[in-house]
């Protein structure tokens, strides 16, 4: 007996899966109590489904849902708008499941699931969205097809075989819809500036360098693995990886800030010289306004950097931005003259022990030698790098220099800068990042919070500002070891996916839309007859993705074609091929039996006849061709061999 | 609802500039396009035939078979609704290079050669966003016999038959004993349809039960005194049917045309056709 399914049950099953996907997409952003409430109501509705008793009348559920919406609206503020809307949608979804569902209710479930996905898109922009998006696309297309069946015939039952065919064809729809979605995504007009500012509570941004930094703060950042920015550029020696962000010139004994007096400084005519390197930076939202680039950045988006070679924006960065930077590999910045008062400032209440120490270790030396003497002091006195138990008292530098003798870059850099100042050498502290993981697949550097770093710039007469990094390096070792790790490679591959996701989808805007249209326009005007095969490395990733997409689509299409070839046609094709090998070709319009009868070799003919008889039984009597038949016939084809006389 | 959702999301994406919302909007739009393309493709290469093995009588319902033939090699047919005049039937799936059929309870109000040319093949495939329809430009003609009406004429014939005597026979009638299975004929009660045999042969089959045997009678059309022609045709059709079913051999005379007495099905059909087409050439 043929198994059949009630289409209504299929629709219900897909509706539950769709609702669940919607829930999972936002589950990270809702409280446990809501998740628990949703799941409990979902289980309750499954019990109702099983017993086919829907305990709550529709009017009661509608009243509860309305009351809940009202309550949520009253508790909603601008800041928690999206979270509240999501909670409301989750509740509505759970209520929908409790109802005795009609076609309209199923559609509402799908709509709520799409809205939940939308909510997740507002709360997080990571790659997981893509997974939920694709799952929902496949589920919804299945659901809507079966729902269409249901609305045509509410009591429809479908044989398992028909059901499988409908499912297999329905799943092809999203496969075709995805490339079209990409086209629409590229073409849909982007606004000059969004009119609607959606409050995004989840996207808090990462903590980082603001206008000032308190000692101990950077260590908090350093324990964080989240991405700060990615830089698309060629790989360079890791010793050159200093990412400059902010320059601090004022120290109050506990932390560094900017006095903003440096803007009056004169710059040298050619402040930096050396090899230039271009970078494309994708900076994650981090709430602060400084842009980062390799030390020493000379321009960002074709605009010269400030006098202290930083690029502040007017406001904090709230969404991912992309910019082009040009830097020069140079360890010194020539300066036309500086205001020494700013850079020799010492904080009130500085311990004489520090100034005495500075003077003592730099005594009798000048310029660069003074700097070296401080660095030698740290080495000689076995100061070590640590991120734990950092001195955060009212006199942290004293604690670091005389009591604990360990700390992180904040302590090394701060005490170096203070000691340099005490020894009469103008000094400032630069905030940024040091080192990064180079992702070869994506041709970019990944800079994480844990790369946060402070270093010193000291002013040496006749040379200018010289980079001084007193912090002992320990981190690179860890990274080198990590490179051998399979998980590290997997993490890198995932990051590449994230990088392209951000590059192609999240950061797509009017500017890129214009550039694509312009490129297409140029392509139409000047067709490129001579194909340039020298693809730049950074573009290789893009080409790779496009190539893979084409391959996937082609593979899908081939699979589709081969699957659609009836099994009997494949079998007869095999038979023809085999017979051709023995010199017998079946003419067009020649009957199978007729063909077999004209085979000269007796053994060959009798075996071919056995095949033809079996095939004819199945094919001409309109029997269902099953795998068992196919296997049996294939074996018969294998058995077809000419007699010994022919072989010899 | 879908269009509203798409418009709403399009507005949200255009105003917020959020790319993930654009992505959802794009997906909804592409599904709309795919739905249009597939909907159109689903109706091409599909043929519809209507047929019946039943004898058709005006005013009586009969099972009309709708066959949907998929001539396509690759794409199966989904979700078809075939409209035949006012009636419709749903066929969920038609495999590639195969056909699927269903029956509808159809009726012709008037006798004669009736033409059915209002056939539409519709489908809401894939998402029920739009229902596309295609008219099947192929007329189907059906011969419809007059509506059988029991009137005085038959009572008189019956009396005549009774007077001439009866004897038991193996001829079909409505006694409980089943003697064979034959093709469905108009007027066979539904309860006598043998569904098992119908399913096996794909033609409607009726159980034949035992009846009795009678002596022949001849009906002369002009001698039947009923002024209303349609009424007369209906009464005669009833008589012909009852005589045939009772196994009474009957002859028929109309305008110098004689149908010698017979009790066969083809004879019955010939007489009924004569009645069905009566006056057709004069129109």
């Amino acid at each position: 007996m043929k198994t059949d399914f009630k289409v209504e049950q299929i629709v219900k099953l897909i509706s539950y899966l769709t609702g669940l996907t919607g829930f999972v997409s936002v589950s990270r952003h809702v409280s446990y109590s809501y998740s628990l409430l949703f799941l409990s109501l979902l289980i309750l509705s499954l019990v109702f489904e099983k017993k086919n008793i829907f305990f709550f009348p529709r009017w009661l559920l509608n009243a509860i849902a309305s009351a809940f919406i009202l309550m949520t609206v009253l508790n909603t503020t601008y800041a928690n708008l999206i979270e509240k809307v999501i909670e409301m949608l989750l509740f509505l979804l759970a209520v929908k499941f409790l109802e005795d569902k009609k076609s309209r209710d199923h559609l509402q479930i799908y709509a709520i699931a799409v809205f939940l996905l939308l909510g997740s898109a507002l709360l997080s922009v990571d790659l997981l969205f893509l997974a939920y998006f694709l799952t929902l696309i496949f589920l919804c297309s299945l659901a809507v097809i079966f729902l269409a069946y249901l609305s045509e015939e509410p009591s429809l039952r479908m044989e398992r075989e028909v059901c499988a065919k409908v499912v297999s064809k329905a799943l092809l729809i999203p496969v075709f819809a995805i490339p079209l979605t990409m086209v629409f995504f590229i073409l849909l007009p982007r606004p000059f500036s969004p009119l609607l500012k959606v409050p995004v509570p989840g996207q808090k941004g990462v903590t980082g360098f603001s206008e000032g930094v308190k000692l101990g703060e950077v260590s908090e950042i350093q324990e964080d693995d989240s991405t700060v920015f990615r830089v698309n550029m060629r790989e360079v020696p890791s010793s050159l990886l200093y990412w400059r962000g902010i320059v601090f010139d004022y120290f109050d004994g506990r932390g560094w800030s900017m006095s903003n007096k440096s803007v009056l400084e004169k710059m040298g005519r050619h402040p930096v010289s050396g090899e230039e390197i271009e970078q494309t930076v994708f900076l994650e939202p981090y709430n602060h306004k400084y842009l980062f680039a390799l030390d020493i950045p000379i321009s960002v988006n074709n605009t010269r950097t400030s006098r202290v070679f930083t690029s502040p924006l007017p406001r904090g960065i709230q969404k991912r931005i992309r910019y082009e930077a040009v830097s020069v590999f140079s360890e010194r910045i020539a300066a036309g003259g500086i205001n020494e008062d700013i850079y020799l400032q010492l904080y009130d209440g500085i311990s004489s022990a520090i100034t005495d120490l500075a003077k003592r270790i730099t005594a009798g030396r000048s310029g660069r030698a003074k700097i070296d003497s401080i660095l030698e002091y740290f080495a000689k006195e076995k100061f070590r790098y640590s991120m734990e138990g950092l001195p955060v008292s009212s006199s942290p530098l004293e604690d670091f220099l005389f009591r604990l003798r360990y700390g992180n870059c904040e302590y090394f850099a701060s005490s170096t800068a203070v000691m340099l100042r005490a020894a009469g050498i103008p000094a400032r502290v630069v905030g940024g990042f040091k080192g990064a993981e180079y992702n070869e697949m994506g041709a970019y550097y990944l800079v994480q919070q844990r790369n946060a770093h402070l270093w010193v710039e000291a002013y040496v007469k006749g040379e200018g500002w010289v980079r001084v990094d007193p912090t002992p390096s320990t981190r690179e070792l860890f990274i080198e070891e990590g490179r051998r790790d399979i998980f590290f490679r997997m993490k890198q591959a995932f990051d590449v996916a994230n990088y392209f996701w951000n590059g192609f989808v999240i950061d797509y805007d009017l500017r890129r839309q214009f550039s694509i249209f312009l490129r297409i326009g140029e392509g139409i005007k000047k067709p490129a007859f001579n194909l340039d095969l020298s693809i730049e490395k950074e573009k290789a990733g893009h080409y790779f993705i496009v190539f893979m997409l084409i391959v996937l689509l082609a593979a899908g299409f081939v699979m589709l074609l081969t699957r659609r070839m009836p099994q009997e046609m494949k079998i007869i094709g095999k038979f023809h091929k085999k017979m051709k090998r023995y010199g017998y070709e079946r003419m067009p319009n020649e009957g199978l039996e007729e063909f077999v009868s004209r085979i000269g070799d007796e053994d060959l003919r009798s075996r071919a006849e056995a095949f033809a008889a079996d095939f004819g039984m199945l094919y001409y009597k309109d029997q269902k061709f099953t795998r068992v038949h196919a296997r049996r016939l294939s074996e018969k084809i294998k058995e077809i061999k000419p007699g010994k006389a022919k072989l010899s | 609802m879908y269009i509203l959702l798409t418009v709403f999301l399009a507005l949200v994406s255009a105003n917020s500039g959020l790319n993930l919302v654009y992505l959802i909007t794009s997906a909804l739009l592409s599904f709309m396009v795919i739905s249009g393309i597939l909907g159109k493709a689903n109706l091409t290469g599909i043929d519809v035939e209507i047929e019946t093995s039943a004898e058709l009588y005006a005013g009586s319902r009969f099972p009309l078979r709708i066959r949907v033939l998929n001539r396509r090699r690759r794409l199966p047919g989904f979700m078809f609704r075939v409209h035949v005049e006012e009636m419709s039937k749903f066929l969920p799936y038609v495999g590639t290079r195969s056909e699927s059929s269903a029956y509808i309870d159809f009726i012709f109000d008037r006798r004669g050669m009736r033409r059915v040319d209002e056939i539409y093949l519709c489908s809401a495939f894939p998402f029920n966003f739009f229902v596309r329809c295609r008219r099947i430009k192929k007329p189907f003609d059906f011969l419809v016999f007059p509506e059988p009406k029991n009137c005085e004429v038959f009572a008189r014939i019956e009396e005549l038959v009774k007077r001439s005597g009866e004897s038991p026979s193996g001829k079909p009638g409505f006694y409980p004993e089943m003697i064979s299975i034959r093709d469905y004929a108009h007027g066979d009660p539904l309860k006598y349809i043998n569904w098992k045999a119908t399913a096996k042969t794909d033609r409607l089959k009726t159980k034949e039960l035992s009846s009795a045997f009678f002596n022949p009678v001849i009906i002369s059309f002009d001698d039947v005194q009923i002024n209303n022609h349609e009424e007369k045709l209906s009464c005669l059709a009833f008589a012909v049917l009852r005589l045939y079913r009772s196994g009474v051999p009957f002859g028929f005379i109309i305008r110098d045309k004689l149908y010698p007495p017979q009790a066969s099905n083809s004879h019955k059909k010939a007489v009924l056709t004569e009645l069905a087409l009566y006056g057709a050439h004069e129109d």
Side-chain angles (χ1 to χ4, degrees):
Chain A
M1 206 178 121
K2 285 181 178 175
T3 327
D4 60 2
F5 302 107
K6 245 183 132 178
V7 172
E8 195 188 354
Q9 298 296 337
I10 301 174
V11 169
K12 277 184 181 170
L13 174 74
I14 305 171
S15 291
Y16 274 93
L17 289 175
T18 310
L20 210 59
T21 309
F23 162 70
V24 174
S25 73
V26 293
S27 59
R28 287 182 295 165
H29 310 293
V30 290
S31 61
Y32 285 119
S33 50
Y34 267 96
S35 298
L36 209 64
L37 177 71
F38 174 80
L39 290 173
S40 318
L41 290 178
L42 198 73
I43 291 168
L44 186 65
S45 52
L46 281 172
V47 174
F48 286 176
E49 296 286 355
K50 178 118 180 78
K51 296 191 172 172
N52 204 18
I53 299 168
F54 294 88
F55 187 72
F56 302 111
R58 198 173 269 263
W59 66 264
L60 181 66
L61 289 171
N62 286 345
I64 293 172
S66 308
F68 185 84
I69 291 172
L70 190 71
M71 239 168 62
T72 313
V73 168
L74 291 176
N75 284 319
T76 303
T77 60
Y78 183 70
N80 68 6
L81 178 69
I82 292 174
E83 278 162 347
K84 287 287 164 195
V85 169
I86 285 178
E87 286 171 1
M88 197 167 76
L89 286 172
L90 268 186
F91 190 77
L92 286 181
L93 187 62
V95 167
K96 274 276 142 228
F97 279 122
L98 286 175
E99 285 177 0
D100 183 8
K101 292 165 273 301
K102 305 272 172 283
S103 288
R104 195 189 50 190
D105 300 308
H106 288 291
L107 276 177
Q108 284 168 1
I109 287 170
Y110 311 144
I112 294 175
V114 170
F115 275 115
L116 284 173
L117 183 74
L118 183 71
S120 85
L122 297 178
L123 293 175
S124 139
V125 290
D126 62 21
L127 198 57
L128 263 179
F129 171 87
L130 188 62
Y132 300 132
F133 176 71
L134 291 177
T135 313
L136 219 54
I137 274 191
F138 279 93
L139 281 175
C140 281
S141 53
L142 263 188
V144 183
I145 286 181
F146 279 107
L147 201 61
Y149 270 113
L150 195 68
S151 12
E152 282 286 352
E153 203 122 308
S155 57
L156 185 70
R157 297 185 79 94
M158 223 179 236
E159 280 174 19
R160 180 206 283 262
E161 222 172 85
V162 172
C163 197
K165 279 180 181 160
V166 172
V167 170
S168 66
K169 295 293 175 290
L171 289 179
L172 281 177
I173 294 176
V175 172
F176 290 111
I178 288 166
L180 197 61
T181 301
M182 283 161 66
V183 174
F184 273 119
F185 179 79
I186 292 169
L187 295 182
L188 282 177
R190 297 308 199 268
F192 280 102
S193 72
L195 300 171
L196 198 73
K197 279 253 157 79
V198 187
V200 185
Q203 214 176 43
K204 289 194 181 81
V206 291
T207 52
F209 300 103
S210 55
E211 300 294 314
V213 58
K214 290 259 172 273
L215 286 184
E217 258 180 17
V218 176
S219 70
E220 285 172 26
I221 311 170
Q222 286 174 326
E223 283 167 7
D224 188 347
D225 260 358
S226 53
T227 303
V228 188
F229 54 94
R230 293 179 180 87
V231 187
N232 188 202
M233 58 178 271
R234 64 181 165 84
E235 192 171 11
V236 294
S238 58
S239 60
L240 298 175
L241 295 176
Y242 281 88
W243 310 95
R244 191 184 188 91
I246 182 167
V247 172
F248 303 112
D249 56 16
Y250 181 79
F251 187 62
D252 65 2
R254 308 274 297 277
W256 288 91
S257 58
M258 300 176 67
S259 68
N260 287 328
K261 290 175 188 162
S262 56
V263 289
L264 301 171
E265 272 177 29
K266 281 184 195 159
M267 288 178 80
R269 282 184 72 185
H270 299 290
V272 285
S273 56
E275 189 196 343
E276 286 189 5
I277 182 154
E278 288 175 10
Q279 309 134 68
T280 306
V281 185
F282 300 87
L283 179 62
E284 298 291 317
Y286 84 124
N287 278 346
H288 303 305
K289 60 183 188 181
Y290 286 91
L291 302 180
F292 298 92
L294 268 181
D295 208 20
I296 294 154
I298 52 169
S299 75
V300 167
N301 281 346
N302 294 324
T303 308
R304 269 175 66 167
T305 46
S306 73
R307 281 161 199 270
V308 289
F309 298 93
T310 57
S311 305
L313 291 180
R315 275 182 297 277
I317 295 150
Q318 299 292 335
K319 59 174 234 176
R320 182 179 298 103
I321 56 165
R322 169 201 159 114
Y323 55 88
E324 311 289 335
V326 179
S327 301
V328 170
F329 287 127
S330 170
E331 290 201 357
R332 65 181 202 95
I333 304 167
I338 61 158
N339 186 344
E340 290 199 355
D341 290 347
I342 304 169
Y343 300 112
L344 289 174
Q345 167 264 341
L346 290 170
Y347 58 96
D348 291 339
I350 184 169
S351 155
S352 57
I354 297 178
T355 50
D356 289 350
L357 175 71
K359 282 172 187 157
R360 183 165 54 81
I361 57 178
T362 57
R365 301 195 185 195
S366 64
R368 268 198 186 255
K370 278 191 179 180
I371 302 168
D372 292 341
S373 62
I374 292 171
L375 298 180
E376 281 160 18
Y377 174 75
F378 286 130
K380 201 175 75 192
E381 295 296 318
K382 295 197 170 66
F383 277 73
R384 64 184 170 85
Y385 185 89
S386 173
M387 292 213 327
E388 281 163 16
L390 296 175
V392 282
S393 64
S394 56
S395 50
L397 283 194
E398 283 86 337
D399 285 347
F400 170 71
L401 285 169
F402 305 116
R403 204 166 58 82
L404 300 173
R405 288 169 184 261
Y406 65 79
N408 66 345
C409 61
E410 303 162 81
Y411 296 89
F412 282 99
S414 301
S415 45
T416 305
V418 167
M419 286 200 288
L420 282 170
R421 285 179 176 192
I425 298 218
R428 61 192 185 191
V429 164
V430 183
F433 295 85
K434 185 188 175 189
E437 286 171 12
Y438 191 69
N439 193 318
E440 282 165 13
M441 281 183 269
Y444 64 85
Y445 277 106
L446 172 75
V447 181
Q448 292 163 299
Q449 291 278 31
R450 62 189 179 88
N451 294 101
H453 192 58
L454 291 180
W455 64 91
V456 177
E457 276 181 351
Y459 185 75
V460 180
K461 279 198 178 106
E463 285 191 55
W465 290 104
V466 179
R467 187 198 300 146
V468 180
D469 188 0
T471 312
S473 46
T474 52
R475 216 170 278 283
E476 286 77 1
L477 276 174
F478 164 75
I479 292 165
E480 282 306 318
E481 252 173 50
R483 273 184 195 279
R484 288 190 289 269
D485 193 342
I486 177 89
F487 292 106
F488 176 79
R489 291 222 157 255
M490 276 167 65
K491 210 180 94 189
Q492 277 209 332
F494 185 73
D495 197 72
V496 171
N498 235 321
Y499 170 73
F500 286 118
W501 170 247
N502 290 336
F504 283 121
V505 180
I506 306 294
D507 299 334
Y508 186 74
D509 56 12
L510 188 69
R511 195 171 58 88
R512 302 212 27 217
Q513 195 169 33
F514 265 126
S515 82
I516 285 181
F517 291 164
L518 282 175
R519 244 181 285 166
I520 292 171
E522 278 168 18
I524 292 168
K525 275 183 215 155
K526 303 186 283 185
F529 289 111
N530 50 342
L531 187 67
D532 185 8
L533 291 173
S534 59
I535 299 167
E536 290 169 46
K537 198 178 175 187
E538 53 261 44
K539 282 186 183 166
H542 295 66
Y543 287 113
F544 178 72
I545 293 272
V546 173
F547 174 68
M548 284 310 290
L549 216 67
I550 292 168
V551 168
L552 274 175
L553 278 176
F557 201 65
V558 168
M559 268 174 67
L560 199 74
L561 287 181
T562 47
R563 270 204 53 179
R564 278 171 172 177
M565 193 179 199
Q567 221 153 10
E568 50 267 43
M569 298 316 287
K570 281 187 202 164
I571 293 285
I572 199 77
K574 245 190 209 175
F575 173 72
H576 290 157
K577 211 171 153 188
K578 180 113 188 205
M579 295 315 293
K580 207 174 168 182
R581 262 171 47 200
Y582 295 124
Y584 299 100
E585 200 164 348
R586 187 175 164 190
M587 298 291 147
N589 303 325
E590 189 179 11
L592 188 60
E593 280 179 21
E594 194 186 342
F595 166 61
V596 169
S597 66
R598 67 176 169 86
I599 296 171
D601 183 292
E602 223 170 89
D603 279 9
L604 197 65
R605 188 178 59 238
S606 70
R607 281 169 184 159
E609 271 169 356
F611 166 81
D614 203 358
F615 185 83
M617 276 287 283
L618 289 163
Y619 190 71
Y620 299 107
K621 297 213 169 158
D622 243 6
Q623 282 194 30
K624 190 90 201 140
F625 231 82
T626 63
R627 275 187 197 169
V628 179
H629 293 138
R631 206 175 304 144
R632 195 176 71 204
L633 287 167
S634 294
E635 273 164 20
K636 285 219 158 103
I637 294 174
K638 264 187 212 162
E639 284 167 13
I640 299 176
K641 279 172 197 157
K644 279 176 191 165
K646 181 116 183 179
L647 279 174
S648 61
Chain B
M1 185 159 155
Y2 185 88
I3 293 168
L4 279 180
L5 182 67
T6 313
V7 170
F8 172 75
L9 287 181
L11 286 174
V12 172
S13 42
N15 286 310
S16 66
L18 292 169
N19 278 322
L20 296 187
V21 186
Y22 268 104
L23 200 62
I24 299 174
T25 315
S26 307
L28 293 178
L29 283 172
S30 68
F31 270 83
M32 221 187 270
V33 173
I34 296 267
S35 155
I37 296 169
L38 278 181
K40 197 164 189 306
N42 193 39
L43 292 183
T44 52
I46 301 287
D47 217 346
V48 177
E49 306 266 344
I50 52 169
E51 61 188 27
T52 182
S53 56
E55 286 166 10
L56 312 181
Y57 294 85
S60 294
R61 299 198 165 273
F62 66 95
L64 178 71
R65 186 183 185 208
I66 299 172
R67 289 167 65 210
V68 176
L69 299 97
N70 181 1
R71 304 199 190 284
R72 297 188 298 236
R73 275 189 190 180
R74 303 219 162 109
L75 186 68
F78 299 95
M79 240 181 260
F80 294 121
R81 184 167 283 283
V82 182
H83 295 263
V84 182
E85 295 188 340
E86 301 298 308
M87 316 285 287
S88 79
K89 193 74 190 176
F90 182 64
L91 288 106
Y93 180 85
V94 188
T96 49
R97 299 210 155 207
S98 64
E99 65 169 83
S100 178
S101 65
Y103 289 92
I104 51 171
D105 215 9
F106 206 72
I107 188 165
F108 288 109
D109 292 332
R110 290 186 298 128
R111 67 176 175 94
M113 197 54 94
R114 300 266 72 95
R115 172 161 283 197
V116 177
D117 54 2
E118 285 280 303
I119 303 173
Y120 289 92
L121 175 71
C122 296
S123 177
F125 183 76
F127 302 131
N128 203 9
F129 293 161
F130 325 93
V131 177
R132 280 180 178 274
C133 288
R134 186 164 67 83
R135 186 172 179 172
I136 306 295
K137 292 173 192 150
K138 199 165 55 173
F140 292 89
D141 292 324
F142 294 91
L143 178 65
V144 181
F145 301 142
E147 179 186 359
K149 276 186 186 163
N150 188 358
C151 35
E152 213 196 322
V153 178
F154 180 64
R156 289 221 309 274
I157 297 171
E158 202 178 24
E159 208 186 305
L160 193 74
V161 171
K162 274 182 184 165
R163 261 194 274 132
S164 62
E166 62 179 81
S167 53
S169 76
K171 294 272 177 174
F174 293 99
Y175 291 96
E177 190 191 340
M178 188 171 102
I179 53 167
S180 73
I181 288 170
R182 60 163 169 80
D183 278 355
Y184 172 88
H186 174 75
D188 289 347
L190 279 179
K191 65 177 178 177
Y192 288 135
I193 291 179
N194 188 320
W195 293 109
K196 205 172 170 183
T198 304
K200 270 189 186 169
T201 57
D202 217 15
R203 292 169 72 87
L204 276 174
K205 294 283 179 187
T206 312
K207 288 180 250 184
E208 275 194 327
L209 305 171
S210 182
S211 84
F213 175 76
F214 296 93
N215 294 322
V217 288
I218 291 181
I219 302 164
S220 164
F221 183 80
D222 293 331
D223 292 343
V224 177
Q225 297 301 314
I226 298 173
N227 291 337
N228 185 327
H229 272 314
E230 290 305 318
E231 186 76 13
K232 187 168 163 181
L233 293 167
S234 286
C235 292
L236 288 175
F238 182 82
V240 166
L241 279 173
R242 288 300 287 264
L243 289 169
Y244 167 71
R245 208 164 298 144
S246 310
V248 181
F250 62 94
F252 186 59
I253 301 171
I254 183 166
R255 288 182 189 155
D256 308 329
K257 199 171 175 185
L258 169 70
Y259 289 87
Q262 270 186 48
S264 71
N265 191 32
S266 56
H267 174 67
K268 174 201 78 182
K269 276 188 185 165
V271 175
L272 285 174
T273 305
E274 192 68 50
L275 295 174
L277 300 175
Y278 180 80
H281 304 297
E282 294 163 16
D283 289 343

